[in-house]
Amino acid sequence: RIICVGDRLTYGYGLMGAFTLHSYPAVLQELLGNEYQVMNFGICDRTLSNSADKPYQKEKIFTASLSSDPEAVIIMLGTNDAKPRNWNAEEYEKDLKSLVFLYRNLQSSPSIILMQPPKAFSVLGKTLDGIQDGIIRTDIHEIISRVANETNSSVIDLYGLTENHRDWFTDGIHMNKNGTRAVAEVLCRAISKLV
Protein backbone atom coordinates (compact mmCIF):
# COMPACT_ATOMS: atom_id res chain seq x y z
CA ARG A 1 0.00 0.00 0.00
CA ILE A 2 1.34 3.37 -1.10
CA ILE A 3 -0.14 6.63 0.11
CA CYS A 4 0.25 9.99 -1.63
CA VAL A 5 0.19 13.01 0.69
CA GLY A 6 -0.09 16.48 -0.79
CA ASP A 7 -2.06 19.44 -2.05
CA ARG A 8 -3.90 20.10 -5.34
CA LEU A 9 -1.01 18.69 -7.35
CA THR A 10 -1.56 15.32 -5.67
CA TYR A 11 -5.36 15.56 -5.63
CA GLY A 12 -5.38 16.17 -9.37
CA TYR A 13 -6.90 19.65 -9.57
CA GLY A 14 -7.08 21.04 -13.09
CA LEU A 15 -7.68 17.71 -14.82
CA MET A 16 -11.20 18.65 -15.94
CA GLY A 17 -12.96 16.40 -13.44
CA ALA A 18 -10.88 13.41 -14.50
CA PHE A 19 -8.60 13.37 -11.45
CA THR A 20 -9.68 9.80 -10.63
CA LEU A 21 -8.12 8.75 -13.94
CA HIS A 22 -5.28 11.20 -14.48
CA SER A 23 -3.95 12.41 -11.10
CA TYR A 24 -0.42 11.14 -10.57
CA PRO A 25 -1.61 8.65 -7.87
CA ALA A 26 -4.18 7.23 -10.33
CA VAL A 27 -1.58 6.88 -13.09
CA LEU A 28 0.88 5.37 -10.61
CA GLN A 29 -1.74 2.76 -9.71
CA GLU A 30 -2.17 1.96 -13.40
CA LEU A 31 1.60 1.60 -13.91
CA LEU A 32 2.24 -0.51 -10.81
CA GLY A 33 -0.69 -2.87 -11.31
CA ASN A 34 -2.92 -4.80 -8.94
CA GLU A 35 -0.15 -5.99 -6.63
CA TYR A 36 -0.09 -2.45 -5.25
CA GLN A 37 -2.76 -0.22 -3.76
CA VAL A 38 -2.14 3.49 -4.30
CA MET A 39 -4.22 5.84 -2.17
CA ASN A 40 -4.66 9.56 -2.87
CA PHE A 41 -4.61 11.70 0.28
CA GLY A 42 -4.24 14.99 -1.55
CA ILE A 43 -6.37 17.97 -0.54
CA CYS A 44 -6.53 21.34 -2.28
CA ASP A 45 -4.67 24.44 -1.09
CA ARG A 46 -2.93 22.84 1.88
CA THR A 47 0.48 23.73 3.28
CA LEU A 48 3.14 21.71 5.00
CA SER A 49 3.88 24.43 7.58
CA ASN A 50 1.56 24.32 10.56
CA SER A 51 1.94 28.09 10.98
CA ALA A 52 0.65 28.81 7.44
CA ASP A 53 -2.95 29.50 6.42
CA LYS A 54 -4.17 25.96 5.64
CA PRO A 55 -2.00 23.28 7.30
CA TYR A 56 -2.36 19.75 5.97
CA GLN A 57 -1.92 18.28 9.44
CA LYS A 58 -5.10 19.97 10.70
CA GLU A 59 -7.29 18.09 8.21
CA LYS A 60 -9.26 14.86 8.74
CA ILE A 61 -7.60 13.41 5.64
CA PHE A 62 -4.25 13.62 7.43
CA THR A 63 -5.61 11.58 10.34
CA ALA A 64 -6.99 9.07 7.85
CA SER A 65 -3.59 8.80 6.16
CA LEU A 66 -1.97 7.88 9.48
CA SER A 67 -4.44 5.01 9.85
CA SER A 68 -3.90 3.60 6.34
CA ASP A 69 -1.10 1.14 7.22
CA PRO A 70 1.20 2.18 4.33
CA GLU A 71 4.37 0.50 3.15
CA ALA A 72 5.46 3.68 1.37
CA VAL A 73 4.52 7.34 1.83
CA ILE A 74 4.99 9.90 -0.93
CA ILE A 75 4.97 13.49 0.35
CA MET A 76 4.69 16.54 -1.91
CA LEU A 77 3.82 19.69 0.01
CA GLY A 78 5.40 23.08 -0.50
CA THR A 79 3.83 24.87 -3.46
CA ASN A 80 1.32 26.67 -1.22
CA ASP A 81 4.02 27.33 1.37
CA ALA A 82 5.80 29.35 -1.35
CA LYS A 83 3.19 32.12 -1.15
CA PRO A 84 4.69 35.22 0.55
CA ARG A 85 2.10 35.19 3.35
CA ASN A 86 2.98 31.56 4.18
CA TRP A 87 6.71 31.25 3.70
CA ASN A 88 8.85 30.63 6.78
CA ALA A 89 11.92 28.52 6.05
CA GLU A 90 12.56 27.55 9.66
CA GLU A 91 8.96 26.44 10.24
CA TYR A 92 8.84 24.58 6.93
CA GLU A 93 11.97 22.57 7.73
CA LYS A 94 10.88 21.79 11.29
CA ASP A 95 7.41 20.69 10.21
CA LEU A 96 8.70 18.60 7.30
CA LYS A 97 11.04 16.70 9.58
CA SER A 98 8.24 16.18 12.10
CA LEU A 99 5.88 14.92 9.38
CA VAL A 100 8.44 12.43 8.10
CA PHE A 101 8.86 10.98 11.58
CA LEU A 102 5.10 10.81 12.17
CA TYR A 103 4.84 8.50 9.16
CA ARG A 104 8.14 6.69 9.72
CA ASN A 105 7.09 5.75 13.26
CA LEU A 106 3.85 4.09 12.19
CA GLN A 107 3.60 0.39 12.97
CA SER A 108 4.09 -0.41 9.27
CA SER A 109 7.46 1.46 9.25
CA PRO A 110 6.96 2.79 5.72
CA SER A 111 9.60 3.99 3.30
CA ILE A 112 9.36 7.75 2.75
CA ILE A 113 9.70 9.53 -0.60
CA LEU A 114 9.92 13.33 -0.52
CA MET A 115 9.13 15.12 -3.76
CA GLN A 116 10.53 18.57 -4.44
CA PRO A 117 7.61 20.51 -5.95
CA PRO A 118 7.56 21.26 -9.68
CA LYS A 119 8.42 24.58 -11.25
CA ALA A 120 5.83 27.34 -10.90
CA PHE A 121 5.42 28.96 -14.32
CA SER A 122 4.15 32.51 -14.73
CA VAL A 123 1.20 33.38 -16.95
CA LEU A 124 1.17 36.92 -18.34
CA GLY A 125 4.00 37.81 -15.97
CA LYS A 126 2.37 36.45 -12.79
CA THR A 127 2.18 33.10 -11.04
CA LEU A 128 -1.17 31.82 -9.77
CA ASP A 129 -1.96 32.97 -6.20
CA GLY A 130 1.42 34.72 -5.96
CA ILE A 131 3.33 31.44 -5.62
CA GLN A 132 7.05 32.27 -5.70
CA ASP A 133 9.00 30.05 -8.06
CA GLY A 134 12.27 31.28 -6.56
CA ILE A 135 11.31 29.93 -3.14
CA ILE A 136 10.48 26.54 -4.65
CA ARG A 137 13.66 26.44 -6.72
CA THR A 138 16.08 27.38 -3.94
CA ASP A 139 14.76 27.29 -0.37
CA ILE A 140 12.27 24.41 -0.61
CA HIS A 141 14.54 22.38 -2.88
CA GLU A 142 17.44 22.71 -0.44
CA ILE A 143 15.34 22.03 2.67
CA ILE A 144 13.80 18.88 1.20
CA SER A 145 17.24 17.59 0.18
CA ARG A 146 18.59 18.25 3.65
CA VAL A 147 15.64 16.64 5.46
CA ALA A 148 15.76 13.62 3.14
CA ASN A 149 19.43 13.16 3.97
CA GLU A 150 18.89 13.60 7.72
CA THR A 151 15.93 11.20 7.84
CA ASN A 152 17.22 8.61 5.38
CA SER A 153 14.31 9.30 3.01
CA SER A 154 14.32 9.15 -0.77
CA VAL A 155 13.97 12.37 -2.73
CA ILE A 156 12.65 13.05 -6.23
CA ASP A 157 13.40 16.33 -7.98
CA LEU A 158 10.20 17.36 -9.74
CA TYR A 159 11.57 20.84 -10.31
CA GLY A 160 14.30 19.49 -12.56
CA LEU A 161 11.81 17.16 -14.24
CA THR A 162 9.37 19.96 -15.09
CA GLU A 163 11.42 23.13 -15.57
CA ASN A 164 11.55 22.78 -19.36
CA HIS A 165 7.96 21.55 -19.72
CA ARG A 166 5.53 24.45 -19.55
CA ASP A 167 3.40 22.26 -21.82
CA TRP A 168 2.72 19.89 -18.88
CA PHE A 169 0.76 22.59 -17.01
CA THR A 170 -2.73 24.01 -17.46
CA ASP A 171 -2.21 27.34 -15.68
CA GLY A 172 1.48 27.34 -14.80
CA ILE A 173 0.90 25.53 -11.47
CA HIS A 174 -1.45 22.60 -12.00
CA MET A 175 -0.41 19.72 -14.23
CA ASN A 176 -2.28 18.28 -17.18
CA LYS A 177 -2.37 14.54 -17.85
CA ASN A 178 1.01 14.61 -19.64
CA GLY A 179 2.58 16.14 -16.55
CA THR A 180 0.96 13.76 -14.08
CA ARG A 181 1.99 10.78 -16.20
CA ALA A 182 5.61 11.98 -16.26
CA VAL A 183 5.56 12.26 -12.46
CA ALA A 184 3.98 8.81 -12.09
CA GLU A 185 6.59 7.24 -14.36
CA VAL A 186 9.43 8.64 -12.26
CA LEU A 187 7.73 7.45 -9.09
CA CYS A 188 7.11 4.00 -10.53
CA ARG A 189 10.83 3.53 -11.11
CA ALA A 190 11.65 4.78 -7.62
CA ILE A 191 9.09 2.55 -5.90
CA SER A 192 10.28 -0.52 -7.79
CA LYS A 193 13.62 -0.08 -6.02
CA LEU A 194 12.09 0.52 -2.56
CA VAL A 195 9.11 -1.78 -2.01
Side-chain angles (χ1 to χ4, degrees), residues 7-8 43-59 77-88 91 95 129 131:
D7 53 27
R8 287 182 186 206
I43 183 170
C44 293
D45 299 327
R46 293 320 183 258
T47 62
L48 186 137
S49 294
N50 292 319
S51 61
D53 59 357
K54 295 179 181 177
Y56 185 83
Q57 290 185 59
K58 293 186 178 177
E59 300 296 330
L77 285 162
T79 299
N80 293 306
D81 293 88
K83 298 173 184 177
R85 68 177 179 269
N86 287 332
W87 182 242
N88 182 314
E91 291 291 315
D95 291 341
D129 294 332
I131 292 165

Side-chain angles (χ1 to χ4, degrees), residues 29 34 36 40-41 61 68 90 92 115 128 149 177:
Q29 177 69 73
N34 294 333
Y36 294 81
N40 189 339
F41 286 98
I61 199 168
S68 64
E90 186 177 321
Y92 183 88
M115 294 207 295
L128 190 69
N149 185 56
K177 62 184 182 179

Side-chain angles (χ1 to χ4, degrees), residues 110-125:
S111 300
I112 308 293
I113 299 173
L114 300 179
M115 294 207 295
Q116 293 158 327
K119 179 174 175 60
F121 289 91
S122 61
V123 176
L124 300 175

Side-chain angles (χ1 to χ4, degrees), residues 21 24-25 53 65 78 80 92 104 106 108 121 126 172:
L21 294 174
Y24 84 75
D53 59 357
S65 76
N80 293 306
Y92 183 88
R104 176 72 53 68
L106 293 175
S108 57
F121 289 91
K126 295 182 180 180

Side-chain angles (χ1 to χ4, degrees), residues 1-178:
R1 180 174 294 166
I2 299 162
I3 67 169
C4 302
V5 171
D7 53 27
R8 287 182 186 206
L9 295 171
T10 298
Y11 176 80
Y13 181 89
L15 291 165
M16 303 297 207
F19 66 93
T20 54
L21 294 174
H22 299 300
S23 65
Y24 84 75
V27 179
L28 183 60
Q29 177 69 73
E30 171 198 324
L31 295 173
L32 290 172
N34 294 333
E35 292 181 16
Y36 294 81
Q37 180 185 14
V38 180
M39 302 177 74
N40 189 339
F41 286 98
I43 183 170
C44 293
D45 299 327
R46 293 320 183 258
T47 62
L48 186 137
S49 294
N50 292 319
S51 61
D53 59 357
K54 295 179 181 177
Y56 185 83
Q57 290 185 59
K58 293 186 178 177
E59 300 296 330
K60 290 179 182 178
I61 199 168
F62 168 63
T63 305
S65 76
L66 292 173
S67 303
S68 64
D69 197 32
E71 291 179 66
V73 180
I74 300 165
I75 301 171
M76 182 170 61
L77 285 162
T79 299
N80 293 306
D81 293 88
K83 298 173 184 177
R85 68 177 179 269
N86 287 332
W87 182 242
N88 182 314
E90 186 177 321
E91 291 291 315
Y92 183 88
E93 185 160 358
K94 175 178 67 73
D95 291 341
L96 177 57
K97 201 177 294 187
S98 172
L99 185 64
V100 168
F101 284 118
L102 281 170
Y103 286 113
R104 176 72 53 68
N105 292 331
L106 293 175
Q107 191 171 359
S108 57
S109 300
S111 300
I112 308 293
I113 299 173
L114 300 179
M115 294 207 295
Q116 293 158 327
K119 179 174 175 60
F121 289 91
S122 61
V123 176
L124 300 175
K126 295 182 180 180
T127 53
L128 190 69
D129 294 332
I131 292 165
Q132 301 296 300
D133 180 66
I135 291 173
I136 296 171
R137 185 182 69 249
T138 56
D139 301 73
I140 290 176
H141 197 283
E142 290 169 8
I143 290 169
I144 290 176
S145 292
R146 187 160 57 244
V147 170
N149 185 56
E150 292 173 1
T151 61
N152 196 30
S153 302
S154 299
V155 64
I156 293 177
D157 177 11
L158 292 190
Y159 195 96
L161 179 71
T162 60
E163 65 180 332
N164 295 316
H165 286 283
R166 172 64 181 86
D167 56 306
W168 288 353
F169 293 82
T170 57
D171 55 10
I173 301 294
H174 304 105
M175 287 180 277
N176 60 31
K177 62 184 182 179
N178 294 327

